[in-house]
């Protein structure tokens, strides 16, 4: 479809194509450009969007591409809300409430939206609705990836070996809960450089509380899928930083093995040894 936008830029069919055409029309009309705010769950989403839009514009008009690169803001954002994949049981729960919508989702009440405050033409006062407007989204994104998502993956790979089906079931195993807390505070948190006022101990406690939400059936199998795409950001980047500083990452090492070598076991005690959770 992107090729079609390159051939017929005035009839775009992709999101980057629509943005390029809209910006081209504003430029031709002598209007200031709008800000492109990405709201997806991809790291560096603003930077990635900027790259896609500028590169597509270059195929159309080098001057337009230069104007977009110079004048258009592409702030990054980070969203956090646990939204498990929908199941037939979830749709049945919604139907009992009178909701019949194939696009509906079951999710936690918690929500967090962190946005880079880069809006040259002004913006609404989103802070009043709980949006965190910050100078740099990257620290918050890394915190979420390593502490929340990294813990999810650790629980998924180790919990599945003991026949545990969901995050809620896993977090209620004393040994696994202790392991997750150790991973968060001793391996993930020390690799983070957060703005003043961010309490990582409190953040870890809040994550454990969210994982213990008994209204969500967040399946470990879902979390464990596509590990090759998830684990570099969740585990390996932090582990490499620790290794470069002469530090070990035993929790990450423990989680790395199940998908490759450890057979199915019967209890969490066979996976998480006392030295891992001290």
């Amino acid at each position: 479809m992107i090729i079609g936008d390159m051939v017929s830029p005035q009839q775009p069919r992709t999101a980057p194509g629509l943005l390029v055409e809209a910006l081209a029309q504003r430029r031709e009309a002598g209007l200031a450009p709008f800000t492109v705010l990405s709201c997806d769950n991809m790291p560096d989403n603003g930077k990635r969007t900027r790259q896609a839009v500028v590169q597509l514009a270059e195929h159309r008009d080098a001057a337009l591409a230069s104007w977009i690169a110079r004048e258009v803001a592409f702030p990054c954002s980070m969203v956090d809300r646990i939204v498990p994949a929908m199941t037939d049981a979830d749709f049945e729960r919604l139907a009992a409430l009178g909701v019949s919508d194939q696009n509906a989702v079951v999710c936690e009440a918690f929500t967090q939206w962190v946005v880079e405050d880069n809006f040259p033409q002004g913006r609404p006062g989103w802070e009043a609705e709980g949006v965190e407007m910050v100078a740099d989204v990257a620290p918050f994104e890394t915190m979420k990836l390593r502490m929340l998502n990294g813990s999810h993956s650790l629980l998924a790979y180790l919990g599945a070996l003991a026949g545990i089906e969901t995050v809620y079931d896993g977090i209620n195993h004393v040994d696994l809960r202790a392991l997750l807390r150790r991973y968060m505070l001793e391996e993930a948190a020390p690799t983070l450089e957060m703005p003043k006022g961010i309490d990582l101990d409190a953040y870890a406690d809040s994550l454990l509380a969210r994982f213990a939400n008994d209204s969500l059936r967040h399946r470990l199998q879902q979390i464990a899928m596509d590990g090759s795409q998830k684990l570099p950001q969740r585990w390996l980047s932090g582990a490499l930083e620790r290794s470069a500083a002469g530090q070990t990452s035993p929790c990450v090492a423990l989680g790395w093995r199940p998908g490759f070598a450890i057979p199915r076991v019967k209890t969490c005690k066979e996976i998480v040894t006392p030295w891992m959770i001290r």
Side-chain angles (χ1 to χ4, degrees):
M1 293 180 68
I2 199 71
I3 295 177
D5 286 355
M6 294 166 63
V7 175
S8 302
Q10 281 78 29
Q11 289 84 41
R13 300 176 62 189
T14 69
L18 287 167
L19 290 171
V20 170
E21 173 60 12
L23 289 167
Q25 290 188 19
R26 292 186 71 87
R27 178 171 176 263
E28 291 170 5
L31 299 174
F34 49 77
T35 294
V36 180
L37 175 59
S38 299
C39 301
D40 56 74
N41 202 25
M42 182 177 291
D44 296 322
N45 48 22
K47 297 176 182 178
R48 293 170 185 262
T49 302
R50 181 183 188 276
Q51 181 180 23
V53 170
V54 171
Q55 287 184 348
L56 182 59
E58 287 175 346
H59 287 278
R60 175 173 175 170
D61 181 351
L64 171 63
S66 178
W67 180 80
I68 292 174
R70 184 178 65 255
E71 301 293 339
V72 181
F74 292 84
C76 293
S77 74
M78 186 277 285
V79 294
D80 180 13
R81 193 174 210 179
I82 297 174
V83 185
M86 290 293 285
T87 65
D88 291 340
D90 291 323
F91 285 113
E92 290 173 5
R93 290 169 61 190
L94 293 177
L97 298 174
V99 178
S100 178
D101 184 349
Q102 291 300 306
N103 294 314
V105 295
V106 174
C107 61
E108 65 175 339
F110 175 91
T111 183
Q112 182 184 26
W113 192 17
V114 183
V115 178
E116 178 186 351
D117 199 354
N118 180 20
F119 294 80
Q121 305 304 320
R123 60 169 176 79
W126 289 322
E127 301 94 331
E129 301 302 324
V131 178
E132 298 176 53
M133 305 301 300
V134 301
D136 185 6
V137 171
F140 296 88
E141 197 167 65
T142 304
M143 178 181 71
K144 172 181 174 286
L145 284 168
R146 294 183 184 176
M147 292 188 70
L148 189 160
N149 299 126
S151 295
H152 259 170
S153 290
L154 191 61
L155 185 59
Y157 290 117
L158 296 179
L161 292 176
I164 298 172
E165 184 179 352
T166 69
V167 170
Y168 170 74
D169 295 328
I171 205 65
N172 280 288
H173 280 266
V174 174
D175 296 334
L176 285 178
R177 185 185 182 94
L179 176 65
L180 292 190
R181 184 171 177 79
R182 177 184 174 182
Y183 161 73
M184 289 185 199
L185 296 180
E186 296 188 19
E187 294 188 21
T191 68
L192 303 174
E193 295 184 8
M194 303 303 300
K196 185 178 179 180
I198 302 299
D199 186 337
L200 293 178
D201 285 68
Y203 182 67
D205 288 338
S206 71
L207 292 179
L208 294 174
R210 291 168 63 191
F211 294 170
N213 184 344
D214 61 0
S215 67
L216 294 178
R217 289 192 57 79
H218 198 181
R219 293 172 297 158
L220 299 184
Q221 182 180 10
Q222 176 195 345
I223 297 171
M225 293 175 63
D226 300 322
S228 62
Q229 302 299 313
K230 299 174 179 177
L231 295 186
Q233 302 97 327
R234 296 183 179 192
W235 287 353
L236 301 186
S237 58
L240 286 172
E241 289 181 19
R242 290 180 59 82
S243 178
Q247 301 166 328
T248 61
S249 302
C251 296
V252 168
L254 183 67
W256 185 258
R257 295 179 60 196
F260 302 93
I262 299 179
R264 186 184 180 91
V265 296
K266 296 180 180 179
T267 68
C268 291
K269 285 289 188 184
E270 294 180 65
I271 305 172
V272 184
T273 55
W275 69 269
M276 289 298 302
I277 62 173
R278 66 168 183 260

